Amino acid sequence: MKRLFVALMTASTLWTGIGMAQASVVIGGTRVVYPSEDREVSVQLQNAGDTPSLVQAWVDSGNPDVSPDESQAPFVIQPPISRIEPDQGQVLRISYTGAANLPNDRESVFWLNVLDVPPNPESMEGEAPQNFLQLAIRSRIKLFYRPEGLEGSARQAAEQVEWTLSGGNVLRAHNTSAYHVTMTQLTLANGINVPISAGEGMLEPNETRTFELPGNAHGSIRELRMTTINDYGARVEQDVTLSR
């Protein structure tokens, strides 16, 4: 598996033929929730293209550069490698191995990787061109391991984020819940968006994070509209009152 991963991720020969490979396998969802009481969870893949695809799947603990064999994430996937025909699907079965001593008072987050490898391109004569670019495209979504009996609920977690305004230009968010809260947008009452840098949109349980207000945010700032993503991948908006 490691050799396959490395070979696919480092292929870089030029294709001067008639097109370029594109990802065709899609994941049925934008996140995976693994309740600790379940023996396994299933993820549906679908090949929406018109050619077969070779798919490799694995879970990592947060480092996107770790190969499948080097990953220390306590999950196994069956099948780890599969061929999906055009307009066909494949079910991935993810099982928790119990190898890691995960906390039982809060969620833990991991990442599901799906590497989609298209077949070699063919020229107009039905043969692969001598020089081509083979693109293996990886999709990576969050996997939340959710212990049984956590206080509150994932649906109410966003409401448990405490917001304070300090120094007049810094927002501080503290997640008091046992669940991860993923934010996609923060908007002040006057319509100004607060920048969220890449990787800063997810608040872990009991995490505190700060956001600097843009220079054009002026006047009395008392309310904030927060947009989050729920377990089903839907965006949810709610108004938040700021404290000082």
Side-chain angles (χ1 to χ4, degrees), residues 32-234:
V32 179
V33 177
Y34 194 121
S36 64
E37 62 271 22
D38 291 355
R39 295 183 57 183
E40 64 179 29
V41 295
S42 298
V43 176
Q44 178 70 47
L45 305 181
Q46 186 72 25
N47 185 354
D50 54 8
T51 58
S53 283
L54 180 65
V55 172
Q56 184 175 18
W58 71 97
V59 177
D60 70 67
S61 300
N63 183 354
D65 297 325
V66 170
S67 69
D69 284 357
E70 294 172 339
S71 175
Q72 300 298 313
F75 297 90
V76 294
I77 296 180
Q78 294 295 334
I81 299 176
S82 58
R83 173 188 168 104
I84 307 179
E85 299 297 329
D87 202 30
Q88 297 296 313
Q90 172 68 57
V91 176
L92 300 180
R93 300 188 305 277
I94 306 175
S95 301
Y96 173 56
T97 65
N101 187 23
L102 299 181
N104 57 17
D105 62 344
R106 61 187 183 276
E107 281 186 336
S108 298
V109 64
F110 298 88
W111 295 82
L112 170 64
N113 299 265
V114 175
L115 186 67
D116 174 15
V117 186
N120 289 344
E122 293 184 354
S123 66
M124 297 297 292
E125 290 75 25
E127 298 179 356
Q130 189 173 16
N131 299 311
F132 64 92
L133 173 65
Q134 179 75 321
L135 295 179
I137 301 178
R138 177 172 60 171
S139 299
R140 195 164 177 260
I141 65 174
K142 296 170 186 174
L143 187 158
F144 297 106
Y145 179 79
R146 184 170 295 168
E148 187 177 12
L150 292 181
E151 293 186 7
S153 68
R155 182 177 57 83
Q156 300 170 330
E159 301 173 4
Q160 295 181 255
V161 177
E162 297 178 348
W163 289 90
T164 57
L165 181 64
S166 61
N169 65 342
V170 175
L171 286 173
R172 179 172 286 105
H174 177 58
N175 182 10
T176 65
S177 77
Y179 303 85
H180 290 77
V181 177
T182 301
M183 300 177 293
T184 61
Q185 188 171 351
L186 298 173
T187 307
L188 301 176
N190 54 8
I192 296 175
N193 290 327
V194 179
I196 301 179
S197 302
E200 291 187 350
M202 183 177 69
L203 283 172
E204 297 186 2
N206 202 36
E207 181 182 13
T208 299
R209 186 164 291 177
T210 59
F211 303 88
E212 187 172 350
L213 295 178
N216 57 349
H218 54 81
S220 179
I221 303 172
R222 296 183 180 275
E223 289 188 352
L224 176 75
R225 172 159 292 185
M226 175 174 58
T227 304
T228 59
I229 300 179
N230 64 17
D231 281 353
Y232 307 100

